[in-house]
Amino acid sequence: MKSLLVLLFPVYLFSQEQCFDDGEKHYPAGDSFSPTSEMTEFILMNNPKHIKYKENKGNISYEQDETSDEYSPMPQDQKMPEHNNPFTAFQTYFQNQFRYIRFQQAGKSLYAVAVNQFGQWLLEIKDRKPKAYYIGFSKNTYINHIQKDGFIKNNILFLDGSFIGIKKGIRFDESTAVKDFLTFEINLDDIKKDSDGDGYNDLFENLIFLNPNSRDTDGDGISDFEDLNPLHASEKNRFTELFENIIEPESSGDHHATRDHYSFEIYESDCRFFQKIHPENTRVLIFSGTKAYQLKNKSNASVFGTFYGRIKKGPDEATFYIPYFKRSSGGKIIAEYKNGKWSLVEDQEYKI
C-alpha cells in the first residue's frame, strides 16, 4: 500500500511540509493588535491616503451611535411605493450579500452604503447594471449606523464616523473613540478604480491579495470575479478532494456561490492541498498564516471563519486527523479513505 501511494502521489506526499503534522501543535495566526495601535498618532497615520476627514460637531458621538440597534436606510423624504423602493432594487441584484445603511438617488444612479464581512461598500445601480465598490477604511475606523441624507455630492462620498482604539480582552474587545465627530470624504474615482476591469475594484483586490492589474490572479483561465477560488489555481487529488468534502457542507444556504460575487467563506491554512481545492458550491478565500496576519491587522471587519491545521496520519494509511479552530471552539476532523471515497466524522471535544 505504501509503495502504491509513493507512485500515485510522489510530489504531494513528500513536498507538502506545510500539510502534514510534524509532532508540534499549529495554531491560527493570533490577533495582533500591538500597544501602538491604541495611540491616536498611530491610528491617524494608518488612515488610508484616499480617505480624508474633518471634524463635524453636528454628528452624533461614537457611543451614541454604537448603542443604536438599527440602521437608518430610508430617508423620510425618499419614501416610495414598494415596487420602486431602493431596498427592493438592491435586494434584487445583491440578494443577501449586504446590510444597508443608507440609500440615495443621484442623477441616473441609485446608491447605497452597505456593509458585509469585509466592511463598508458603496453600491451603485445605473442603467440596470449593479456595481459594488469596497471603500477601504482601516480597522480603527468606525462608520455610523445613522447617516445624513445626501451622502454623495459632487462626486464625493461623505460618511460620518469616528476613529476608535481597540483593546483586546479575554472574551470581548473594548473600543473607545480616540477622535470623534468626524465626516470622512472619499472621491468616487478612487473607490471606483478597477485597473484590470474584472469587476472588483482595486481597493478590494488589494485587501484580499488579488492582483489589481490582472483579471486572473492565479492564472487558471477563470477571471477573479467568476473564480470560486480566486487566490489559488485548483488541482485534483485525493487530499484536495478531502478538503472539498470538509468545507462544502459548511457553505451558507443564504448565498449562491456563482451569483454572489461579494460573499466568501474565509479560511486560514498553510496547506497547499486546501489552498488548491476546486469548490463547486462555495466561493472561498484561503489565506496562509502570513496573509491572515496581515489581513487581520488592516481590515476593519471580522472576516475569519475556520482555521485548519496540519494533517496527522493515523495508525494506517487510510485514516487522517485534521485539527480545526473556530472563534469559540476547537476540534478535529477524522477522515477515512476507503474504496476511493472519504468518510468524515467531526470530533468537537478535541482541542487544539
Side-chain angles (χ1 to χ4, degrees), residues 35-71:
T36 54
S37 67
E38 299 306 310
M39 297 172 56
T40 302
E41 296 82 2
F42 182 89
I43 292 172
L44 299 183
M45 181 181 68
N46 282 277
N47 180 56
K49 301 302 181 185
H50 70 284
I51 299 176
K52 312 301 180 184
Y53 61 89
K54 62 182 179 182
E55 196 169 280
N56 188 341
K57 290 296 186 181
N59 293 352
I60 64 173
S61 68
Y62 163 69
E63 290 187 358
Q64 287 176 301
D65 188 83
E66 191 187 34
T67 55
S68 67
D69 295 328
E70 298 182 358
Y71 292 96

Side-chain angles (χ1 to χ4, degrees), residues 93 108 125-130:
Y93 287 107
K108 295 182 179 180
I125 300 174
K126 184 177 181 180
D127 299 325
R128 297 184 179 181
K129 295 180 180 179

Side-chain angles (χ1 to χ4, degrees), residues 6 9 14 42 125-126 129 150 162 230 284 309 317 320-321 341:
V6 171
F9 309 107
F14 297 104
F42 182 89
I125 300 174
K126 184 177 181 180
K129 295 180 180 179
S162 306
V284 301
E317 294 290 349
F320 302 87
Y321 307 94
K341 294 184 179 181

Side-chain angles (χ1 to χ4, degrees), residues 33 43 46-48 51 71 99 101 114-121 134-144 159-164 166 173 175 184 204 207 294-304 327:
F33 296 100
I43 292 172
N46 282 277
N47 180 56
I51 299 176
Y71 292 96
R99 288 178 292 136
I101 299 175
V115 62
N116 72 354
Q117 63 193 133
F118 299 102
Q120 289 77 21
W121 296 69
Y134 178 68
I135 298 174
F137 290 108
S138 75
K139 73 173 188 290
N140 292 104
T141 306
Y142 176 86
I143 298 302
N144 291 350
L159 292 176
D160 298 333
S162 306
F163 286 120
I164 59 173
I166 305 169
D173 298 345
S175 301
F184 297 95
F204 184 57
L207 175 75
Q294 295 171 355
L295 182 58
K296 288 177 182 179
N297 276 277
K298 67 181 181 180
S299 171
N300 73 339
S302 179
V303 298
F304 282 88
R327 244 174 221 290

Side-chain angles (χ1 to χ4, degrees), residues 2-22:
K2 188 177 294 185
S3 61
L4 178 61
L5 286 175
V6 171
L7 290 174
L8 291 178
F9 309 107
V11 176
Y12 299 127
L13 289 181
F14 297 104
S15 66
Q16 293 294 326
E17 67 278 2
Q18 296 298 318
C19 281
F20 292 96
D21 186 77
D22 57 8

